[in-house]
Amino acid sequence: MSEHPDAAAWSLFEDEATHSSQSSTWQLKDDDHACIFMALESTLLSSILLTASETIMLLRLQLPAVCRFFWHVMSEEPLCWRHLTLTASQLPCAFVTDEVVCRLARLHGPKLLQVSVDGARLLGPSSVSTIAYNSPQLQGFSAVGCQGISFASIRFLCKSCPVLEILRVAGCGCEADVLGKTGADMLAQTLAEKCPRIRQVALSNLRQEESLAALLKSTDLETLDLFDCQQLSCSEATFDLRAQRLQSLKLAGCTKLTSLNGCFSALQTLYLGGCVRFADADSLGCILKSCSKTLTFLSLVDCHSLSTIGLKAAFQQGGQCSLQTLVLGGCRVDDALCQLLGSLCPALSSLDLWNCPHVTNIGVSAIIQSEASLKELNLRECLKVQGAVLLEFCRSTSQLRTLDISFLGVVNDEHLLPLLQEHSESLSCLNCGGPRCFITERLLSSLPPRLEALDLADCKLLRDIEDLTKLQSLAALSLEGSVAPMGQVLEICRRCPITSLNLSRCAVGDETAKEIACLLPKLIELELSGTLLSDVGFRAITQQCRRLVQLGLRSCAISKAAVDDAKKTLPACVVDWDET
């Protein structure tokens, strides 16, 4: 390491490099130290550290000496360590390791009130145990999707942190069942016994009704998110009067659930996605009626056991409501139900009708022409809906932000151009494409300049996409199945901050892959299935795109040795690959 102070690497860890600053020529005086705190409010300092965390804390870039001292001083401010966020959305997964978390926990544990490491796939039990040991005052811990973290370590956290209020650990745990109980069951009971202040819980793989009942005994519980609890039936007796205080209930993938009863008078969010056997429309109607003034989010995605007649009856029983987001993807929705929703949901701003094959232009038109001012609409795979209905948006009060019209009936330029002109200031995400999508290059010149996500999969008439190079805010782009020149694609990559890119079934070779890797080192998701990629281009991607968490390589000429090397280089990345 260079001895010149301007080239010294700064670290938040209390190591020799940091302490040596006390004798260096660039150290500020005590009066200057005080001036820093007088000039900047503590909340502002905290915000600065959060914004700079990626650059300063984990990458350890070379900083000027004066900057070194400033950040060293700020790192001692307790307020800056109330919240520690090391999530996949903030940092590359490969940077968030047990070593990093344990060191931070040992150094700053007594200051920590909230810790979030969602999506950190490399973490194991030692991280949680170290946090538990050093942060007995911890109020919130979130580690959603951290498969390497054991329920045993989380139970230790619950026993060590009695003032815990938030615990979100869905997707964690790898222990074998013990006497019919999963690690989640034992965790639920420990949580109920040791953390009386618990308000928010997110768990997966809960199996026993008594474990659920134990959680519900908490007098402060407001949010209960359960995922992949395929053995729970959630009987009426389980919820009974305790449901009155719940504000959010998510029962995702509870495949044994057939009915749900309780007086959910305070409910704001109800998620029943993947509850494929749920068929009791009467109980749904009772719930909707009991929380008609509070419920703003409802998801019934893939609840296909609810009949069309049952859905209508349930919404009629609920009456006019305050719903803002409604997800009915995969349900038995028809035009009559859409018309009913148009009259009962005046506050609706987001509607998902993905894969509702019985919906036609009549139903969609009824929604658009209602009092609801839509900001998000998903009509993906509604095969009986034609593009002409989109013209209705030009006569509505809606200000669309997100529109998915992939795999509809016929969609062409004349259907979309007026909409794009009308919503050019608000639209940020557009998905279209499919075998009956006939948009041309003429449409591309009218795309909103602030577009952040664009999906043009299988738009076969698009051969020249030069107009896309005028966009400068794209973070997600799909050109799957495109025949557009790769030179134009690379120019888009050069101009836009893309983190998600899908070029499956495109003419991507090794040289193009190298260019992409060079231009987009911050890629998080990359799909190159069905391309001409070989080991050469693949290795270039894995060496330069260190943030990747998803990499699709099906039907590519990639060797097993290259994939094995990639897993070592990117241990947090899921490589979807089949040996050809």
Side-chain angles (χ1 to χ4, degrees), residues 115-130:
V115 173
S116 179
V117 291
D118 293 342
R121 299 176 180 176
L122 300 184
L123 292 185
S126 61
S127 299
V128 183
S129 299
T130 307

Side-chain angles (χ1 to χ4, degrees), residues 339-509:
Q339 293 170 330
L340 181 63
L341 294 174
S343 62
L344 294 179
C345 306
L348 198 64
S349 62
S350 178
L351 178 63
D352 189 331
L353 296 176
W354 158 78
N355 191 26
C356 292
H358 302 297
V359 174
T360 71
N361 283 18
I362 296 173
V364 177
S365 178
I367 295 290
I368 297 174
Q369 293 180 11
S370 69
E371 294 182 30
S373 181
L374 290 178
K375 293 181 174 62
E376 299 175 351
L377 179 62
N378 185 356
L379 298 173
R380 193 180 190 91
E381 296 183 40
C382 292
L383 301 179
K384 292 184 180 180
V385 175
Q386 307 294 324
V389 76
L390 300 176
L391 298 173
E392 298 279 354
F393 277 111
C394 298
R395 298 184 289 273
S396 75
T397 60
S398 298
Q399 292 294 318
L400 281 175
R401 288 198 305 254
T402 300
L403 179 64
D404 192 335
I405 50 172
S406 303
F407 298 91
L408 296 192
V410 175
V411 177
N412 56 40
D413 291 349
E414 284 65 32
H415 299 148
L416 269 176
L417 280 171
L419 181 145
L420 294 179
Q421 294 168 0
E422 185 72 20
H423 298 268
S424 61
E425 294 298 320
S426 59
L427 196 65
S428 61
C429 176
L430 175 64
N431 298 339
C432 59
R436 291 188 285 180
C437 182
F438 300 116
I439 62 171
T440 68
E441 288 86 354
R442 185 161 65 103
L443 184 89
L444 301 185
S445 61
S446 298
L447 289 174
R450 299 176 185 173
L451 208 62
E452 298 174 4
L454 179 63
D455 186 346
L456 298 174
D458 291 313
C459 291
K460 299 298 184 183
L461 298 185
L462 295 179
R463 299 180 178 278
D464 184 345
I465 58 171
E466 184 177 359
D467 281 321
L468 294 186
T469 61
K470 300 176 183 177
L471 303 176
Q472 297 185 8
S473 301
L474 280 179
L477 175 64
S478 174
L479 295 171
E480 181 177 356
S482 173
V483 294
M486 284 298 105
Q488 293 178 349
V489 174
L490 292 175
E491 185 61 26
I492 298 169
C493 295
R494 186 172 290 109
R495 293 173 178 267
C496 296
I498 295 174
T499 57
S500 176
L501 181 63
N502 186 345
L503 295 177
S504 296
R505 297 186 286 113
C506 294
V508 178

Side-chain angles (χ1 to χ4, degrees), residues 3 8 82 171 193 197 248 289 375 403 412 434 484 496 535:
E3 296 298 327
R82 287 186 178 180
E193 294 171 4
R197 298 185 187 181
S248 176
K289 184 176 181 179
K375 293 181 174 62
L403 179 64
N412 56 40
C496 296
D535 287 359

Side-chain angles (χ1 to χ4, degrees), residues 104-262:
L104 289 174
R106 285 192 289 267
L107 290 172
H108 305 288
K111 310 169 195 172
L112 293 176
L113 298 181
Q114 306 280 343
V115 173
S116 179
V117 291
D118 293 342
R121 299 176 180 176
L122 300 184
L123 292 185
S126 61
S127 299
V128 183
S129 299
T130 307
I131 291 171
Y133 184 78
N134 291 277
S135 307
Q137 76 296 330
L138 196 69
Q139 297 174 8
F141 180 74
S142 183
V144 175
C146 299
Q147 297 178 352
I149 293 178
S150 67
F151 281 123
S153 63
I154 302 172
R155 290 202 305 274
F156 177 62
L157 181 83
C158 295
K159 295 175 182 178
S160 305
C161 306
V163 295
L164 199 67
E165 297 179 6
I166 300 172
L167 183 68
R168 303 186 58 82
V169 290
C172 295
C174 51
E175 299 98 324
D177 297 357
V178 179
L179 300 177
K181 289 185 178 181
T182 65
D185 288 312
M186 292 184 282
L187 172 59
Q189 294 174 5
T190 302
L191 187 61
E193 294 171 4
K194 302 297 182 179
C195 301
R197 298 185 187 181
I198 197 71
R199 294 185 297 107
Q200 300 180 21
V201 178
L203 279 175
S204 54
N205 201 29
L206 205 65
R207 290 189 181 180
Q208 297 187 337
E209 294 288 334
E210 53 264 37
S211 302
L212 175 57
L215 287 175
L216 289 169
K217 287 180 180 178
S218 173
T219 57
D220 296 326
L221 192 64
E222 299 172 353
T223 299
L224 181 61
D225 298 349
L226 302 179
F227 299 87
D228 295 324
C229 299
Q230 300 178 7
Q231 302 301 317
L232 286 182
S233 60
C234 300
S235 62
E236 180 177 358
T238 304
F239 284 96
D240 53 55
L241 296 178
R242 302 173 189 132
Q244 291 184 1
R245 59 182 175 268
L246 280 178
Q247 296 177 13
S248 176
L249 177 62
K250 296 182 180 180
L251 301 174
C254 293
T255 55
K256 278 193 172 182
L257 178 69
T258 58
S259 179
L260 184 62
N261 296 281

